[in-house]
Amino acid sequence: AAMADGEDEELVLSPAQLLLSLEQAWLNEKFAPELLESKPEIIECVVEQLDHMEANLKRAKRGDLKVSVHHMEIERIRYVLSSYLRCRLVKIEKFFPHILEKEKSRADGEPSILSPEEFAFAKEYMANTETHLKNVALKHMPPNLQKVSLLKSVPKPNLDSFVFLRVLERQENILVEPETDEQREYAITLEEGSQHLIRYKTVAPLVASGAVQLI
Amino acid sequence: RQALEEMRALYERNQADVSEAKSGRSDLIFLIRFRHCCLLRNQRCLLAYLYDRLLRIRALRWEYGSVLPNTIQFHMSAEEVEWFNRYKKSLATYMRSVGGEEGLDLTQDIKPPKSLYIEVRCLKDHGEFEIDDGTTILLKKNSQHFLPRWKCEQLIRQGVLEHVLS
C-alpha cells in the first residue's frame, strides 16, 4: 500500500505496517477524550487492501484451509476499521457544536480533524438538530428566549481526563500541571517504552505527533 | 406542551412587570429577575428533554436498523420521525462515501469476530436463504443451522435468527 506523507512523497507501507497504523489510530481514537486528526490516507489504503484481499478470496479454491484464515483476517480488519470510524462518528455527534466551531476557526495550513465526508455529516447533524429544537420548542417560546447557543449548552470534551499511554519516542521536559496548591509545575522525561497514566491535556500534542500511543 | 404554557404565562406576567419597572418602580426588579430565571430554567429543561429524546432515537437507528418497529414509531412525534429520516439519510451518505464502491456498513461488525461460522436458531419462518457457496438453506421456525457469521448479522438484528451460545 502507498501513502503520501506531508511532503508529497509516497511512502510504501507493507500490509503489516498499514494494519499497525490502523490499530494505532484506532486505539488512540478510542481512548482520547476529543476527536483526533482524521487519517484519510490510512482509511483509503485499508479499504484498498480489503478489496484486494476479497478479490483474492473469490479466486481461491473452495475448501482450501487458507481461505478460512484469510476470511477471518478480512473480518478482523473490517471490524477494526468500522470500530474506528464509528468511534469518530460518536464523538462528532457528541461534541458537534465544538467540533464545527474548531473547524470554522482552523488556520489554512492546519490539518483538519474531520474528513470532508465527516464534515458534511457533522453539518447535517447540526442543522437537523437545530431545526428540530427550533420547530418543536423554541419558536413557541417568548421572543427573548427563542435562540439558544448549542455551543454553550452541549458539553465539551473533558481534556482533563486521565489516559494510559506507552511512550514511543523519548520526550524531555514535559511540563506537568500541579495537582494540589502546594505543588508547582514540574517537568518530567518520558522514556521510550515506559507506560504512564497522565492527564490527556498534557500529552495531547504528543498523541497527535505519534510520539506516544494511548492504551 | 404544559411547560410551554407555563412559560407563556410567566412571560406575560414578566412583561407586565417589565413595563412597570421601566416606568421607575425599581422594587420590582427582583421579581422580574426571578421570573426570568424560571423561564430560563424551563427552557433548559425542555431542550434537555427534547435533546435526550433525539439521542435515544439516534440509538434506535444503530440498534434496529433503518426501519423502526411500529410500536416505537407510535411513540415518536412527527418532527422526531422527520429527524430520524434525515439522520438516517445523512448516515447512509457518509457510509457510502467510505468503503470504496459499495461503501462500508458501519452498523455491522459491532463486536470483534470470534469465529467465521455461528450456530443460529430460526425464530420464525423466513423461507429460503442462499449462502455464498450457492447452497440454499430453508429457514423454518425452530430449525438450527451453522452459518457464516456475516450473513446472519442482519437477520439476527431483525429477529429472524437467534445466535445460540452453547
Side-chain angles (χ1 to χ4, degrees):
Chain A
M3 252 167 73
D5 75 4
E7 291 100 48
D8 275 308
E9 270 175 32
E10 277 206 5
L11 282 172
V12 180
L13 288 181
S14 72
Q17 285 171 311
L18 175 64
L19 293 180
L20 183 61
S21 300
L22 175 66
E23 261 180 48
Q24 285 176 334
W26 175 55
L27 289 173
N28 278 342
E29 196 73 67
K30 221 168 170 230
F31 297 117
E34 61 175 349
L35 186 68
L36 300 175
E37 229 176 88
S38 82
K39 307 265 177 205
E41 337 80 49
I42 299 185
I43 297 176
E44 215 179 284
C45 289
V46 170
V47 168
E48 218 178 273
Q49 179 84 340
L50 280 176
D51 282 341
H52 192 70
M53 287 172 84
E54 275 179 10
N56 276 345
L57 214 59
K58 281 202 170 82
R59 280 182 299 197
K61 266 197 311 214
R62 219 171 14 112
D64 192 350
L65 188 60
K66 277 195 286 186
V67 168
S68 295
V69 175
H70 278 294
H71 212 139
M72 198 54 183
E73 183 69 9
I74 292 179
E75 298 280 296
R76 287 208 186 98
I77 297 173
R78 215 202 325 263
Y79 167 73
V80 174
L81 181 62
S82 290
S83 184
Y84 171 67
L85 293 173
R86 265 197 301 269
C87 181
R88 288 179 63 86
L89 276 189
V90 165
K91 284 191 205 171
I92 290 173
E93 290 173 0
K94 205 164 168 192
F95 304 121
F96 67 96
H98 307 285
I99 291 180
L100 285 171
E101 186 66 29
K102 195 166 167 185
E103 183 62 19
K104 204 162 70 169
S105 51
R106 178 170 67 96
D108 270 332
E110 264 176 76
S112 176
I113 48 171
L114 295 169
S115 72
E117 296 82 14
E118 286 172 338
F119 186 43
F121 177 79
K123 281 193 291 191
E124 282 164 15
Y125 188 79
M126 172 130 177
N128 196 11
T129 304
E130 262 182 342
T131 310
H132 182 261
L133 292 178
K134 195 161 71 162
N135 288 339
V136 176
L138 288 173
K139 78 175 180 202
H140 300 290
M141 289 190 186
N144 63 334
L145 288 170
Q146 282 188 4
K147 289 230 140 68
V148 77
S149 162
L150 284 176
L151 200 56
K152 290 206 205 109
S153 324
V154 174
K156 274 173 114 126
N158 181 16
L159 300 177
D160 285 323
S161 47
F162 277 78
V163 290
F164 281 97
L165 60 84
R166 178 170 44 237
V167 182
L168 299 177
E169 291 165 17
R170 187 167 191 270
Q171 300 293 315
E172 300 197 335
N173 286 321
I174 304 296
L175 278 179
V176 179
E177 265 172 43
E179 295 295 321
T180 64
D181 284 333
E182 288 107 45
Q183 292 178 335
R184 281 180 316 168
E185 247 183 6
Y186 58 97
I188 57 171
T189 298
L190 298 173
E191 294 292 344
E192 189 178 322
S194 61
Q195 292 179 200
H196 302 268
L197 175 60
I198 198 171
R199 197 175 274 146
Y200 174 75
K201 203 156 56 171
T202 314
V203 293
L206 299 178
V207 176
S209 71
V212 303
Q213 169 72 48
L214 297 184
I215 52 178
Chain B
R1 246 165 271 153
Q2 258 188 325
L4 284 172
E5 271 305 320
E6 193 188 309
M7 282 181 75
R8 207 170 292 140
L10 274 175
Y11 181 75
E12 265 148 36
R13 296 216 301 269
N14 222 19
Q15 273 295 71
D17 286 344
V18 163
S19 39
E20 285 256 30
K22 275 205 254 205
S23 55
R25 295 191 56 193
S26 56
D27 51 330
L28 280 176
I29 297 260
F30 294 113
L31 185 55
I32 294 171
R33 254 198 228 145
F34 172 72
R35 288 215 195 97
H36 189 65
C37 285
C38 289
L39 283 171
L40 280 176
R41 183 175 179 278
N42 275 10
Q43 185 201 48
R44 243 185 68 197
C45 292
L46 250 188
L47 291 179
Y49 167 70
L50 290 172
Y51 186 66
D52 192 71
R53 280 178 70 94
L54 287 184
L55 293 181
R56 285 171 206 237
I57 294 173
R58 178 256 181 216
L60 291 175
R61 166 64 186 91
W62 288 84
E63 210 178 294
Y64 284 96
S66 337
V67 180
L68 293 180
N70 276 323
T71 46
I72 292 187
Q73 268 204 341
F74 185 64
H75 290 295
M76 286 166 53
S77 69
E79 293 88 356
E80 286 172 337
V81 172
E82 216 188 292
W83 187 91
F84 178 77
N85 287 335
R86 277 205 283 254
Y87 175 74
K88 152 170 112 160
K89 196 157 150 226
S90 189
L91 183 63
T93 308
Y94 173 73
M95 295 199 295
R96 223 182 357 250
S97 75
V98 165
E101 276 176 27
E102 289 167 9
L104 185 63
D105 186 354
L106 294 177
T107 62
Q108 305 264 52
D109 307 305
I110 303 277
K111 295 215 183 75
K114 286 222 154 61
S115 62
L116 280 182
Y117 285 76
I118 51 171
E119 185 86 20
V120 290
R121 183 183 300 122
C122 201
L123 295 174
K124 28 182 139 145
D125 277 330
H126 191 72
E128 287 191 352
F129 187 56
E130 188 176 326
I131 50 177
D132 286 335
D133 56 6
T135 53
T136 26
I137 309 259
L138 182 60
L139 293 178
K140 224 173 133 58
K141 184 164 175 185
N142 285 327
S143 62
Q144 266 185 238
H145 306 276
F146 195 55
L147 294 176
R149 202 181 53 86
W150 65 95
K151 278 264 159 197
C152 304
E153 259 199 59
Q154 226 193 21
L155 288 176
I156 291 178
R157 271 217 297 270
Q158 284 171 4
V160 174
L161 294 177
E162 178 187 42
H163 189 178
V164 175
L165 303 151
S166 47

